[in-house]
Each structure stands twice: as structure tokens, then as C-alpha cells.
Amino acid sequence: MTAKTNRLFFVDAMRAWAILMMLQGHFIDGLLEPAFRDLNNGGFRVWLYFRGITAPVFFTVSGFIFTYLLVRVPQKGMDNPRVAKGIRRGLQLIFIGYLLRSNLFGLLKGEIYPSFYFVDVLHCIGLSILALIGVYLLTINRKKHVFPLLLLTITVVLFLFEPLYKQWSFSFLPEFFANYFTKANGSVFTIIPWLGYATIGAFISILFLRFKDFKFLYPAAIAISLGLGAILCYALSPTFLAIYEWTGVELFNLLQINNYLFVRLGNVFVVFAVFMLLRQFINNRTILNIGSSTLSIYVIHYMVLYGSLTGLGLYRFFHHSLSPSVAITGAVLFMFVCTFLALKYSQYEEDIKSSIAWAWDTAKKQTLEIKEISFSVLKELLSRAGLVLKRLFRTVKG
């Protein structure tokens, strides 16, 4: 791996692909008329399958990128600048997640709608980043293999026992916190099992760092990814069935009936292999800029599609009402508009942030000035009122 490839452009391209897949997936899923959701239609089945790959790829790549940047710096533990930056980033994503689910009109009426408390992608990615930092700090003074081994263990445990804990209601927790663990109250994503994709992404990033100077890194990584993808997609479910028949443990029967987590992980490995194969052709600047602007794209798409803050989004006006031709055309246009706006924002991000900071500082200064003037005026009024009262009491006495 040369200095030129230290950034791992194929991972940025994967993230760009995942965010674009998410845009069209949300658009079509939200606006396509139910009559056209025909599972007997081959095209719809293919679209549905690939839509299911998007979130696992996004979570895995997020864990990969964050941990890759975290581990490659020479500083360790709390001295690592990426720790503080990661904590800020994680909290920021959680905050934005709640902000996007808020409604200004409801807040003006003094109401907080139930959907505000639902947990979504940003909440889970933010919490996953905080969890990765926690595992990193917990293992920093131990042998080098402990960190990646613990990451792999977290993924395996979360995926293996998902049939059991998904039945739990977590009613012993306040609903606000329970929403991070169960979909029973309306959450779209939950930290378990989705943290498992972030931790496996972190595990893969450590392998890339450990073997960065290996001459045949990419051929070996591509072969291993394809092999693991095939095993997870096609061989693991029959293995679970065989274990169930041998042991009678019901957990393995539940796993082989609905083995979607490991199958989707297999899909993720195949996607990794494809993008590594195409790494020489996907280092286009626009693609990489899209990959580094996923948060902006996500926020813009949420506001346009779901009407975040205002409730006035496409979802409100065209919910499940479009024909396939209109939905597909609209999805392409939707991807273009959201991406264009996000890239334009990135281009002027520093100027925009400077303007916001200037406006905020100005507002604070003016508030302080008004406060000082108000106190002076109030003090003067109280002083005069005191004099008037004194004169009044003297008059009454006399």
C-alpha cells in the first residue's frame, strides 16, 4: 500500500454507493404505490434485496473508517486526538438524529410528538462510535490482538443471539432508553444488533493496517472477502441446521430459519471485494466527495423527503402514490438534487460556519448589551421609585 492509497479510496467509494442506495431506497419505499410491490416481479425482488444490503454496508464502512483513523495515529489512549474528536462526533450524530425527528410546529404548541423518541440510523452510528471508543480505551494497555478479538467477539455474539434478545421488550427501561434496544415502540434501527456491523468494520480496518505493507494485500483481501461472502450467504444456514439436528438447541433452529444478519454480512464482504477489484476506476473526485459528505446528504434527504422540522416533505404529499416509472425517475432526480446540495454545502461549509459563528457571536454580544442596558434602566427606575416612595411616606407622616 503506497502513500497514494493510504486513504483507501475504495472505502470512500463504498460509502458513496451506500448513501446513494439509501436515497433511492427511501424514496421508492416511501412513495411507490403498494399495488406495485409485487414479490413475484423479478425487478422488484432484486431492488428489495439490494435495498437490504445498504444499511449493513453503511454501518460496516462507518466502523471501518472511524477505527482506521483512530488506530493509525501514533498517540495512544486519551492522548489520541481521535478519541476526543470521536466522542464529539458520536454525540453530534445522536443530537442531529433527534433534531431531524423534531417538529417546529409541535414545539411551538408545546408538544413533542412520539416519533421524536424513535431511534434511527444516526443515533445508532453515533452510539456505535462511542462504543468503539470505549472498547479501544478498555483494551489499550493489553496485547495488540485483544482489541480486534473483542471487536470480532461482539459481532459474533450480537448476531448469534439476535433470535433471543429481539423478543425482549426491555420494559424495565424507560421508553427513551428502551428505544435503543427494541423496535416495539417504533424505532427504525436499534443498537443491537447493528453495532455488530460497526465492530466487524472496525475489525477489518485493523487487519488492513496490520498488513498494509503486504505485497499481495488486495489479491488476498479480495479472495478472502469472496470466500467469506460465499460461506456466510450459502453455507452457514445449513451448518446451523446441522448443529440444531445434532444438539437440539433451539437457538440454532431459529438462526437457520432467519439467518439474515450473517447473510447480509456475507453481502457486505462481497461488496468489499467488488469495490477492491474496481479500486483503480473509482477514485473520481466527485465520487470521493460524495463519500465524505454522507452526513450532509443524509440531513438534506431527510428534510426533503420526510419534512424534518416542518413536516412538509415529499412523504406527506406523495406517500405510497407513485407509479414505478414516476418513482424511478423521481428517485434519480432526488439523488441528484440531494447530492448536488450537499456538495455545494461542503464547498462553502467553512464560509457558512463562519457566518453562523459570526451571527451567533453578534447575537450574544447584543443580548449582553441589552441585558446591561436593561439592568441600568431597571436600576434607575427602582432608584426613582424609591425616592418617590420616600417622599410619599414623608408626606403621609406630616
Side-chain angles (χ1 to χ4, degrees), residues 119-364:
V119 173
D120 214 324
V121 172
L122 291 186
H123 304 80
C124 286
I125 292 180
L127 200 56
S128 295
I129 289 174
L130 296 177
L132 290 174
I133 293 172
V135 176
Y136 166 76
L137 294 175
L138 185 66
T139 59
I140 194 63
N141 293 322
R142 301 184 181 276
K143 293 182 179 179
K144 285 186 177 181
H145 68 272
V146 175
F147 182 39
L149 186 60
L150 186 53
L151 292 171
L152 181 61
T153 301
I154 290 171
T155 299
V156 173
V157 169
L158 287 177
F159 286 10
L160 272 180
F161 292 98
E162 189 265 351
L164 300 181
Y165 63 70
K166 77 174 181 180
Q167 302 174 34
W168 301 347
S169 65
F170 293 90
S171 57
F172 59 89
L173 292 174
E175 188 173 309
F176 179 85
F177 295 108
N179 285 341
Y180 280 90
F181 302 97
T182 176
K183 295 182 180 179
N185 303 318
S187 290
V188 182
F189 286 85
T190 52
I191 192 62
I192 55 173
W194 289 97
L195 172 61
Y197 288 107
T199 50
I200 196 66
F203 173 78
I204 297 169
S205 73
I206 293 172
L207 292 181
F208 265 85
L209 278 169
R210 295 276 171 88
F211 296 98
K212 63 182 180 180
D213 297 320
F214 180 50
K215 184 179 179 181
F216 301 105
L217 171 62
Y218 282 107
I222 292 168
I224 292 170
S225 295
L226 289 174
L228 286 173
I231 291 170
L232 291 168
C233 288
Y234 302 109
L236 199 56
S237 291
T239 302
F240 286 143
L241 178 59
I243 295 173
Y244 166 68
E245 292 174 346
W246 178 46
T247 64
V249 177
E250 182 62 21
L251 173 63
F252 294 102
N253 184 40
L254 295 173
L255 283 167
Q256 67 90 17
I257 291 172
N258 188 18
N259 186 24
Y260 75 98
L261 290 172
F262 285 106
V263 170
R264 290 308 189 192
L265 182 56
N267 297 149
V268 170
F269 278 115
V270 173
V271 172
F272 261 90
V274 170
F275 276 86
M276 283 188 284
L277 276 169
L278 300 175
R279 66 190 182 280
Q280 301 296 336
F281 310 102
I282 51 178
N283 55 0
N284 177 272
R285 183 179 294 276
T286 301
I287 294 175
L288 302 180
N289 287 340
I290 293 172
S292 61
S293 303
T294 51
L295 179 58
S296 302
I297 294 173
Y298 185 90
V299 170
I300 291 170
H301 112 279
Y302 214 95
M303 297 180 72
V304 174
L305 184 59
Y306 299 115
S308 179
L309 300 178
T310 63
L312 303 175
L314 297 174
Y315 195 80
R316 177 174 180 175
F317 301 105
F318 302 104
H319 180 226
H320 290 174
S321 64
L322 303 184
S323 66
S325 58
V326 175
I328 292 170
T329 304
V332 173
L333 183 61
F334 180 66
M335 286 191 291
F336 175 79
V337 170
C338 291
T339 304
F340 176 80
L341 291 176
L343 292 180
K344 280 298 179 184
Y345 169 78
S346 298
Q347 186 178 348
Y348 299 105
E349 184 175 8
E350 292 303 321
D351 293 337
I352 293 171
K353 286 183 176 179
S354 297
S355 299
I356 293 173
W358 175 82
W360 177 252
D361 288 340
T362 302
K364 281 200 300 185

Side-chain angles (χ1 to χ4, degrees), residues 52-98:
I53 299 174
T54 305
V57 169
F58 202 83
F59 273 86
T60 305
V61 170
S62 297
F64 184 108
I65 292 174
F66 176 75
T67 308
Y68 186 85
L69 297 174
L70 176 71
V71 176
R72 74 173 183 174
V73 298
Q75 299 94 329
K76 302 297 179 186
M78 291 302 298
D79 293 330
N80 187 335
R82 287 284 169 181
V83 170
K85 188 173 182 179
I87 293 172
R88 288 195 301 271
R89 184 65 163 181
L91 294 175
Q92 178 195 40
L93 291 176
I94 295 171
F95 172 77
I96 293 174
Y98 283 116

